[in-house]
Amino acid sequence: MANFTGANVITTSDVLKYQPDAFDFGISTTATETTNFLLQTTNDILRQLRIEWFPTYKTNVYTDITVLNTVEMENTKVNLDQFERAGVYLFLGRFYLPALTKFRPEADKDRFERMAEYYMSEYNKEFRAILEDGVEYDSTADGTIVSNEREALHGYRRLNR
C-alpha cells in the first residue's frame, strides 16, 4: 500500500537496511535528534518536490490558467514510498552523519564526513532518477496510483522544437 498518510518518508528500520551500523556511533534510534532528522528529511524532500517537480506537473496537468497560478502541491497526495532510498541517503548525508563528524580540514576528513559526502551524492542521483521516472501523485485522492497520476519531470506533453 502506498504511503499517502503524510507520515515520514523513512523510519530508522529503513536506515538500517542501507547502513546496518548507522546507530552504533552515539545517536540512538530513539534519540530526539533522530526523530527530528527523520521529520526534516521528509520536509526537505517535499520542499524539493515543490520547487523542482510540481511546477512542471501543474503545467502539464492543469489547462485552466486561472487554476494554474493558484494550485498548490498537497503533501498527502505524494506517494512517499518511492522516496525511501532517497530519504535514507538524505537522512544520512545531510543530518545524521554531519552530527557525528568533527569537521576537520579537507585532508584530514573523518569517516563520517566522507560518508556524508557519499550519501549526498547518492541522494542527488536517486532524486534525479525519481523525477525522470515519474513522481507518483494521487491527484484523485483515492489511495491508488494510475498511469496518468505518474508525472515525469519532463512530461510527455512537453513541446520540443
Side-chain angles (χ1 to χ4, degrees):
M1 183 70 181
N3 178 4
F4 299 110
T5 64
N8 286 334
V9 69
I10 60 168
T11 65
T12 54
S13 297
D14 297 327
V15 174
L16 291 171
K17 283 191 280 188
Y18 292 87
Q19 185 68 43
D21 65 347
F23 298 103
D24 295 345
F25 302 107
I27 301 176
S28 74
T29 58
T30 58
T32 302
E33 295 98 332
T34 301
T35 303
N36 291 340
F37 294 159
L38 292 170
L39 177 61
Q40 193 58 48
T41 297
T42 302
N43 291 340
D44 282 9
I45 286 174
L46 291 170
R47 181 182 65 215
Q48 194 168 356
L49 282 172
R50 280 192 302 275
I51 293 167
E52 294 184 33
W53 171 78
F54 196 72
T56 299
Y57 171 82
K58 68 182 182 180
T59 300
N60 289 342
V61 172
Y62 297 103
T63 54
D64 182 353
I65 193 73
T66 60
V67 172
L68 189 62
N69 293 326
T70 60
V71 71
E72 295 288 332
M73 184 178 91
E74 294 181 47
N75 295 345
T76 56
K77 291 185 176 184
V78 176
N79 179 8
L80 293 176
D81 286 346
Q82 66 184 321
F83 292 94
E84 177 186 303
R85 184 180 310 151
V88 168
Y89 293 160
L90 182 63
F91 170 84
L92 290 169
R94 183 173 292 162
F95 303 109
Y96 189 77
L97 293 166
L100 297 171
T101 189
K102 295 183 180 2
F103 290 106
R104 297 180 180 162
E106 188 70 29
D108 244 359
K109 285 187 179 180
D110 64 23
R111 171 185 182 192
F112 303 117
E113 287 177 274
R114 289 191 304 275
M115 288 173 66
E117 287 174 357
Y118 167 77
Y119 280 117
M120 283 309 297
S121 171
E122 291 301 304
Y123 166 74
N124 289 325
K125 288 184 235 176
E126 180 66 14
F127 194 84
R128 274 297 122 217
I130 293 168
L131 292 183
E132 293 301 322
D133 185 45
V135 174
E136 296 175 358
Y137 188 74
D138 187 16
S139 58
T140 59
D142 63 0
T144 61
I145 296 291
V146 293
S147 61
N148 68 343
E149 290 180 314
R150 184 182 187 122
E151 186 76 28
L153 182 61
H154 300 294
Y156 61 88
R157 296 181 193 146
R158 183 177 178 196
L159 178 61
N160 292 316
R161 295 187 189 256

